[in-house]
Amino acid sequence: MTPTTNPPQALEFQCECGAIHGVVRESFPPNGRRLVCHCNDCQAFAHYLDREKQILDDHAGTHVYQMDSSKFTISKGQDKLACVTVTGGPLLRWYCATCKTPIANTLSSTRFPFLSLILSAFDQGKTDAMLGSAVEHVAIPSGAGDPGKVKTAGMAGMLWQLLVRVIKARFNPELKKSPLFDDATGKPLAEPIKLERSERLAIDEKADIYREVLAEAQ
Ligand SMILES: [Zn+2]
Ligand SMILES: [Zn+2]
């Protein structure tokens, strides 16, 4: 019997204004994880961009794909990349500076060779075909309404998976590649924007109201 090889599949990324182009290449079966995060910080990012309607689902969840950063490349528009930290912490949330299409979340250095791709800008049919449609939920109590009986992601399993990625990348520098960081210096390609406390408070107030609206609609 000849072994079957599965070439990587490709998923195109393009921001709304067309400035940033990229592609995700994933092997089959995919080794990333589809998550829906309902946490307040992910919601804050959606509101910061004024794109909550596109990004957040009916339960205020953000759909992401946690993956190896080296499998995402950006072919055009690196100079339009922007990133923000909504907490002042090391988690960077990336987007197009011109049209505010969200791209991905990362930690602040390529020592952590993974990213959470934000799926709202991707074609949903193609995303499901390539990455599978099974999702696990995180931080449900921070979301809106009751999503019912859904699968939740265990923190221990997720941390383990991230640790394995960090260790593998120590021995294989190729894995440290990220389209959002400078290869040579390992620094982010855009200076992270930090929100003032007053800005974050205003965003949280907006998020509160939005969650009430979502819950009301259920
Ligand atoms: Zn754009
Ligand atoms: Zn989150």
Side-chain angles (χ1 to χ4, degrees):
M1 212 169 81
T2 42
T4 49
T5 50
N6 294 301
Q9 306 176 82
L11 196 57
E12 304 279 336
F13 170 83
Q14 190 180 330
C15 70
E16 206 170 282
C17 75
I20 301 175
H21 280 220
V23 64
V24 177
R25 290 194 172 79
E26 182 57 283
S27 45
F28 191 84
N31 80 339
R33 224 168 158 147
R34 279 190 79 160
L35 298 168
V36 183
C37 188
H38 301 263
C39 86
N40 288 315
D41 294 341
C42 286
Q43 290 178 52
F45 181 46
H47 288 285
Y48 164 77
L49 298 176
D50 267 324
R51 282 190 162 261
E52 60 276 8
K53 288 198 183 80
Q54 290 100 332
I55 300 170
L56 302 179
D57 69 10
D58 292 349
H59 299 283
T62 300
H63 291 242
V64 302
Y65 182 61
Q66 212 168 62
M67 59 177 283
D68 298 321
S69 55
S70 57
K71 289 178 179 165
F72 183 37
T73 49
I74 290 180
S75 53
K76 189 185 140 199
Q78 280 95 341
D79 58 326
K80 294 289 188 293
L81 290 168
C83 67
V84 65
T85 158
V86 296
T87 60
L91 194 77
L92 305 182
R93 296 170 184 271
W94 295 84
Y95 58 97
C96 171
T98 307
C99 68
K100 309 283 193 271
T101 299
I103 303 170
N105 302 328
T106 67
L107 284 173
S108 55
S109 134
T110 49
R111 278 193 300 136
F112 305 101
F114 50 84
L115 53 82
S116 290
L117 199 68
I118 297 165
L119 297 178
S120 55
F122 289 85
D123 179 275
Q124 200 185 334
K126 285 183 189 158
T127 307
D128 288 352
M130 184 165 137
L131 308 175
S133 52
V135 298
E136 295 169 280
H137 292 251
V138 184
I140 291 173
S142 303
D146 178 7
K149 225 175 148 47
V150 292
K151 198 173 173 212
T152 53
M155 203 43 92
M158 282 200 320
L159 287 176
W160 175 251
Q161 202 174 30
L162 299 183
L163 186 68
V164 168
R165 285 203 167 100
V166 171
I167 293 169
K168 274 192 187 161
R170 285 236 169 136
F171 298 100
N172 182 358
E174 277 300 299
L175 294 176
K176 284 194 188 173
K177 287 212 156 123
S178 167
L180 305 167
F181 290 83
D182 184 295
D183 276 346
T185 64
K187 293 222 165 94
L189 288 178
E191 185 62 35
I193 295 166
K194 287 197 174 78
L195 294 187
E196 297 291 333
R197 198 172 148 64
S198 57
E199 284 177 282
R200 176 63 199 255
L201 287 173
I203 285 173
D204 284 345
E205 238 171 81
K206 196 176 151 208
D208 274 347
I209 296 166
Y210 192 68
R211 272 195 306 275
E212 275 173 37
V213 171
L214 287 178
E216 200 65 39
Q218 281 156 31

